[in-house]
Amino acid sequence: MSWVCPRCDRTFRQANQRHACGLGNSATLVKGRPAELSSLYLKLEASVKGFGHVEVVARDRYALFRTTRIFADLTVTRDALRVVVHLGRKVNAPYFTKVGPSGGRVSHVAFVRTAEDLRTILPFVREAFDLAVSEKPRSGRTRG
């Protein structure tokens, strides 16, 4: 069972899911950023959209990548993309600078500064996408 917001037509797993209507604009996210970071972000977004139906919610310095569940998010810093990948397992690897539980998932933080960094984390982003797609929406829960 899923819920569609009557104002913005976005689909969520929970009825009356709290959210900001609309998706924002990726162009705003990369505007005024160093060319290398803008290029890395656009490559990441294109790769993620190639996985299947993905909604990208972009606001100011951050973007959320979601099916009906967020599977990855990022913040643009001064010199990197801080990417958080939400997996169903813990991965011990040096490129993840912080790993911890988050709402039934394990969040993995990586800083992407180069195309090689991006290639390294993309398989994990794909794994997180596959996990999000495989899950059944929650039923019978509402928020007041």
Side-chain angles (χ1 to χ4, degrees):
M1 178 91 69
S2 60
W3 174 74
V4 177
C5 175
R7 290 188 308 208
C8 68
D9 287 328
R10 290 174 58 200
T11 302
F12 297 90
R13 291 177 184 262
Q14 282 183 222
N16 301 310
Q17 173 70 45
R18 202 173 109 210
H19 67 284
C21 286
L23 300 177
N25 186 325
S26 297
T28 303
L29 181 78
V30 297
K31 184 178 180 183
R33 308 284 182 206
E36 306 81 35
L37 285 185
S38 296
S39 176
L40 284 170
Y41 173 78
L42 294 173
K43 286 177 186 173
L44 173 62
E45 183 179 290
S47 296
V48 168
K49 285 183 172 180
F51 297 162
H53 178 72
V54 173
E55 183 178 80
V56 179
V57 180
R59 301 269 193 273
D60 300 322
R61 296 179 341 119
Y62 74 87
L64 307 174
F65 300 95
R66 65 184 293 274
T67 59
T68 54
R69 170 187 285 277
I70 296 168
F71 61 89
D73 58 83
L74 72 81
T75 304
V76 180
T77 70
R78 184 177 47 79
D79 66 343
L81 302 177
R82 180 185 180 272
V83 180
V84 184
V85 183
H86 308 288
L87 297 171
R89 65 187 178 100
K90 182 177 182 178
V91 176
N92 291 312
Y95 38 84
F96 290 126
T97 60
K98 183 176 180 183
V99 177
S102 175
R105 294 278 175 274
V106 182
S107 295
H108 298 73
V109 178
F111 287 87
V112 175
R113 293 181 175 90
T114 66
E116 180 61 30
D117 294 342
L118 183 58
R119 281 190 295 277
T120 299
I121 67 155
L122 273 176
F124 297 104
V125 177
R126 177 61 195 238
E127 179 181 334
F129 167 82
D130 290 342
L131 178 61
V133 168
S134 73
E135 291 181 326
K136 299 218 182 288
R138 299 179 201 172
S139 62
R141 292 193 52 184
T142 60
R143 287 187 174 183

